Amino acid sequence: MRSGHPWIYRADITSSEAAPGDLVSVASERGRPLGWALWSSASKISLRLVSSDGAPDEATFWRERLARAIAYRDSLAIDATAYRLVHGESDGLPGLIVDRYGEHLVIQTLSQGMDRRLPDLVGWLVELSRPLGIVARNDLKVRRLEGLDESVAVVFGEVPETVVVREGPIQYEVDLRRGQKTGLFLDQRENHEAAARYGRGRALDAFTYLGGFALRLAAVCESVIALDSSATAVAAARGHVTRNGLANVEVREANAFDELRELEIARERFDTIVLDPPAFARNKASLERAVAGYKEINLRALKLLTVGGHLVTCSCSYHVDEALFLAIIESAAADARATVALVEKRMQARDHPVLVGVPETHYLKCGPQAVRTKP
Ligand code: SAH
């Protein structure tokens, strides 16, 4: 806490008096005031500090934080109609996520404190950003850690089955109730654009979801093969190929691990490869298997890459930090007998800022955008 981290764990609490989700005053064992925090009666993270000044006036405090978060996104001149308005701790609103999809908002309240304030938060969001509708995507397992149930509900106005948004030149039709995350992987938006700066020739997007990288690469590559193991994602991605009038993208329903191996056996080669798998490491216990998974796909991709080709490789596992991710790439390159040059290191888009001193807010690593030179 002294170094600026806003969390206090249950093991460090000597005594407490609070109801679930209360905004409480926090003091050291000797009674020195440390600030104000949201209390959780269930999570290992008992306290999430929100202010180190005087007692916040809840009538104005949260609304001001929301207004500041929205003003920051307005300042970014984002070339898209879908982006993140509130990114939890990074906006001084721990446990709160708000994403904008055109005229609609998706809200997630992932702590007892934010969940209890959901009706007020919705009211302020309506006032500040005038959406047509707001859906609460509170169907996340992490809510169980807070003793909260999982549900999806429209909490304001009307939300149609799908909404149409734009990301750069690409149009998406997004299902805000059932899509992965809140509908799109908004954190990859700037990386989609960056990938298109390197893309050329024959391209492979191994974990495509709705086509995030593939659709952008289509404009600069001769052809793109996009893979996803989810039939729903594949059908939706094909829909987006058509909707955006792209003739050179083929979407295949496949397990990327198998397909990469088969492409290698068939001696196929690609000039541009994107690897954006789901988080292989959801916790520390699964780290070893996750490292093996990342290594395998990166090794196979490097074998498929032409000399001078580009690999855009990502990890969204917080537990695999940047140093470990680079070490995995290094080891994959050694096994593939490839010389790899790091061209760019990227992270989540600017509407998902990383709070310095809070490593948990830096989860997405994208890059190295590598060139494979002659072995
Ligand atoms: N690149 C996308 C986001 C990808 S999310 C974007 O920028 O929008 C990860 C995707 O990988 C999900 O759509 C998931 O369905 C898919 N997936 C998970 N395991 C897979 C596997 N073994 N092979 C292929 N796809 C997989």
Side-chain angles (χ1 to χ4, degrees), residues 180 185 188 192 206-209 212-213 228-230 254-256 276 278:
Q180 295 190 37
F185 287 78
Q188 287 286 29
H192 295 157
F207 301 83
T208 202
Y209 183 46
F213 286 95
D228 204 285
S229 59
S230 149
N255 180 329
D276 179 24

Side-chain angles (χ1 to χ4, degrees), residues 118-129:
L118 180 66
D120 287 335
L121 294 165
V122 167
W124 291 314
L125 285 168
V126 168
E127 183 199 329
L128 292 167
S129 74

Side-chain angles (χ1 to χ4, degrees), residues 332-346:
D335 286 11
R337 299 168 151 272
T339 309
V340 171
L342 190 56
V343 190
E344 202 176 328
K345 279 190 203 171
R346 304 186 57 83

Side-chain angles (χ1 to χ4, degrees), residues 190-191 193-195 197-198 310-313 322 326 341-347 365-371:
E190 293 171 356
N191 297 329
E193 193 186 333
R197 291 201 288 270
Y198 295 97
H310 285 95
L311 171 67
V312 178
T313 182
E322 196 170 87
L326 278 174
L342 190 56
V343 190
E344 202 176 328
K345 279 190 203 171
R346 304 186 57 83
M347 58 176 207
K365 278 75 57 184
C366 182
Q369 311 235 8
V371 190

